[in-house]
Amino acid sequence: DERGEQPCFFLTEELLGDNDEGANDKWFGADHHLAHMPVRQQEKADGHAVKAVYLYSAVAELVKEGQDEDGTLERAMLRVWKNMTEKRMYVTGAIGQQGYGERFTTDYDLPSDRGYLESCASIGICFWAKRLLALYQDPRYADVMERALYNSVLAGLLTAGDIFIRTHFIIKEVSRITGRIVSIWKMGGRGGLGAHAARLTSCALSLISRIML
């Protein structure tokens, strides 16, 4: 309920010079942290994609534990889920359209050649969907969980088991033979694996390992 209040903790921390770990708050506003308004009032999937799905996984836990007497957390959670899955999610179950800020953008902005689509965000979808499935026993949550798991999460781990892919995007290329548009699912960015692949590093390592356990 303190989200959206002023002064904003994240921005004040930056001004005081207490944040040396690169949260980049001078570039990213409170909405990046989903701190721009109380959770109970949020309507859409906004901000950093990984932070968002983890936040709402926690909200689902609060609802389950009866910590939402007036139902406003539950309604906000379901609003955001509906917006995310119907207007801000790729066919592969991936989220987080913009690389700058690793964040959601606007409804139906789903570029096939520029979507950031982080593995960690898809893992967070699975965690959130699992909690919603336990709450409501609605198979639609299982459908989303499976879509993200099989198309985005598992694609983040190479078969050798020692390289983890952080980002995924679908790009359209024109066939040199037929002249037709061909959809190709490439992993790891425009330069092949490159900087987006991590050999035993980055958040992808711990989270992919965690979901498989």
Side-chain angles (χ1 to χ4, degrees), residues 113-117 165-171 173 185-197:
D113 60 338
R114 300 184 304 280
Y116 191 68
L117 315 182
I165 307 302
R166 186 173 182 180
T167 67
H168 313 266
F169 57 84
I170 302 171
I171 66 173
E173 295 182 348
W185 187 7
K186 290 189 175 181
M187 297 185 298
R190 295 174 179 78
L193 297 181
H196 293 272

Side-chain angles (χ1 to χ4, degrees), residues 140-194:
R140 290 178 295 180
Y141 299 118
D143 291 341
V144 173
M145 181 167 54
E146 286 187 345
R147 193 198 319 175
L149 178 64
Y150 294 140
N151 293 285
S152 293
V153 177
L154 294 183
L157 174 64
L158 268 62
T159 53
D162 62 344
I163 295 179
F164 299 81
I165 307 302
R166 186 173 182 180
T167 67
H168 313 266
F169 57 84
I170 302 171
I171 66 173
K172 288 185 176 179
E173 295 182 348
V174 177
S175 169
R176 296 179 181 177
I177 299 173
T178 66
R180 296 179 179 177
I181 293 177
V182 181
S183 293
I184 301 178
W185 187 7
K186 290 189 175 181
M187 297 185 298
R190 295 174 179 78
L193 297 181

Side-chain angles (χ1 to χ4, degrees), residues 64 70 100 120 131 137 166:
K64 183 187 73 172
D70 60 0
Y100 182 70
C120 302
R131 287 160 173 78
Q137 293 81 52
R166 186 173 182 180

